[in-house]
């Protein structure tokens, strides 16, 4: 038992100190844990704590085809084969499910703001942002179909449910500062209005002609910002 505990502790130290170094400069243990507490999430000491779980999720997104099992293989390669119980991806999936969605959103925004403050583009003293929308395919499940819906034309429906996404990006370094997800039938413009609720102030927003309305201009001016469309 002591040997397993030692292996687990060594693996955690290896993973947290040497993994994803560029991100770790902006995403510290303290930051992740603070956002977990802010989301009223509690946890007990274990290998799959919130810090390791968030880092594992980031690693998985950086490797687009990686499965949950491969995430656990990567964790094991950083420490000991005794770290994971099954090695079939179930430990990682369970740990990811335990974390509230709010934790991921807050971590995304905190890292984005930190990086943008150091590497963002500035025009006449105004930080420059870009916003745009897109659609993304989701796994073909009944839950996703109910939440997001499918596209449909005269000949057929899409094979997979589609979500609509609008994001705010730092023009200097490309980091994401915020984002809103909605069903496919919801317009990009509606989602942008939701994004404005948490919009930063005192900057210059660049967007395409869809955003060229007096309403968006007025809302941006209310926040002390400028609009280029």
């Amino acid at each position: 038992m002591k040997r397993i505990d030692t292996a687990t502790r060594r693996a955690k130290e290896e993973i947290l100190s040497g993994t994803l170094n560029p991100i770790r400069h902006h995403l510290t243990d303290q930051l992740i844990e603070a956002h977990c507490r802010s989301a009223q999430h509690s946890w007990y000491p274990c290998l799959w704590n919130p810090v390791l779980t968030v880092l594992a999720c980031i690693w998985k997104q950086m490797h687009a085809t990686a499965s949950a099992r491969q995430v656990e293989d990567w964790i094991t390669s950083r420490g000991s084969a005794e770290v994971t119980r099954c090695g079939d991806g179930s430990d990682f999936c369970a740990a990811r499910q335990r974390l509230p969605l709010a934790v991921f959103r807050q971590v995304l925004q905190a890292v984005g703001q930190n990086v943008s403050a150091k590497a963002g583009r500035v025009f006449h003293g105004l930080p420059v942002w870009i916003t745009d929308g897109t659609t993304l395919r989701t796994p073909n499940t009944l839950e996703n179909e109910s939440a997001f819906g499918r596209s449909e034309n005269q000949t057929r429906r899409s094979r997979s449910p589609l979500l609509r996404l609008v994001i705010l990006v730092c023009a200097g370094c490309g980091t994401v500062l915020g984002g809103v997800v909605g069903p496919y039938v919801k317009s990009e413009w509606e989602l942008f209005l939701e994004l404005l609720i948490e919009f930063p102030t005192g900057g210059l927003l660049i967007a395409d002609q869809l955003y060229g309305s007096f309403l968006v201009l007025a809302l941006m001016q209310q926040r002390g910002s400028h609009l280029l469309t």
Side-chain angles (χ1 to χ4, degrees), residues 51-84:
V51 174
L52 179 57
T53 304
V54 168
L55 294 180
C57 289
I58 293 173
W59 185 89
K60 187 178 188 304
Q61 293 304 312
M62 292 171 64
H63 300 76
T65 60
S67 65
R69 180 171 184 172
Q70 288 172 316
V71 173
E72 289 194 1
D73 289 342
W74 168 69
I75 295 295
T76 302
S77 72
R78 306 294 300 186
S80 166
E82 299 176 70
V83 168
T84 55

Side-chain angles (χ1 to χ4, degrees), residues 188-217:
E188 180 179 327
W189 208 75
E190 288 180 279
L191 292 177
F192 175 72
L193 294 181
E194 293 182 23
L195 183 62
L196 277 177
I197 297 173
E198 300 178 352
F199 213 81
T201 59
L204 169 62
L205 176 67
I206 300 175
D208 60 31
Q209 63 181 356
L210 176 67
Y211 299 86
S213 74
F214 286 111
L215 174 59
V216 175
L217 180 60

Side-chain angles (χ1 to χ4, degrees), residues 111-143:
V111 172
Q113 291 168 3
N114 189 9
V115 176
S116 181
K118 298 176 181 178
R121 185 178 296 276
V122 177
F123 178 75
H124 289 283
L126 300 170
V128 183
W129 312 311
I130 299 172
T131 192
D132 204 357
T134 188
T135 58
L136 296 173
R137 296 186 181 277
T138 68
N140 196 359
T141 65
L142 292 176
E143 291 84 358

Side-chain angles (χ1 to χ4, degrees), residues 16-194:
L16 299 180
S17 63
T19 300
L20 305 173
N21 265 326
I23 295 174
R24 293 290 280 160
H25 288 307
H26 306 283
L27 193 56
T28 63
D29 296 13
Q30 293 76 16
L31 177 67
I32 296 174
E33 291 175 354
H35 287 306
C36 286
R37 286 189 286 269
S38 174
Q40 298 183 335
H41 173 66
S42 58
W43 65 95
Y44 56 89
C46 63
L47 175 68
W48 286 103
N49 58 28
V51 174
L52 179 57
T53 304
V54 168
L55 294 180
C57 289
I58 293 173
W59 185 89
K60 187 178 188 304
Q61 293 304 312
M62 292 171 64
H63 300 76
T65 60
S67 65
R69 180 171 184 172
Q70 288 172 316
V71 173
E72 289 194 1
D73 289 342
W74 168 69
I75 295 295
T76 302
S77 72
R78 306 294 300 186
S80 166
E82 299 176 70
V83 168
T84 55
R85 294 196 310 269
C86 305
D88 60 357
S90 59
D91 287 347
F92 167 63
C93 289
R96 181 175 55 182
Q97 255 187 332
R98 286 195 296 267
L99 282 183
L101 180 60
V103 172
F104 293 100
R105 290 181 61 88
Q106 291 174 16
V107 165
L108 173 72
Q109 292 174 348
V111 172
Q113 291 168 3
N114 189 9
V115 176
S116 181
K118 298 176 181 178
R121 185 178 296 276
V122 177
F123 178 75
H124 289 283
L126 300 170
V128 183
W129 312 311
I130 299 172
T131 192
D132 204 357
T134 188
T135 58
L136 296 173
R137 296 186 181 277
T138 68
N140 196 359
T141 65
L142 292 176
E143 291 84 358
N144 283 337
E145 182 173 11
S146 175
F148 302 117
R150 301 173 186 264
S151 66
E152 193 170 356
N153 55 30
Q154 294 178 342
T155 58
R156 65 181 180 86
R157 303 175 71 204
S158 61
R159 295 182 179 179
S160 302
L162 296 174
L163 62 81
R164 197 173 296 279
L165 169 69
V166 174
I167 59 174
L168 178 69
V169 178
C170 171
C173 57
T175 186
V176 176
L177 301 173
V180 178
V181 174
Y184 177 77
V185 295
K186 202 162 191 176
S187 72
E188 180 179 327
W189 208 75
E190 288 180 279
L191 292 177
F192 175 72
L193 294 181
E194 293 182 23

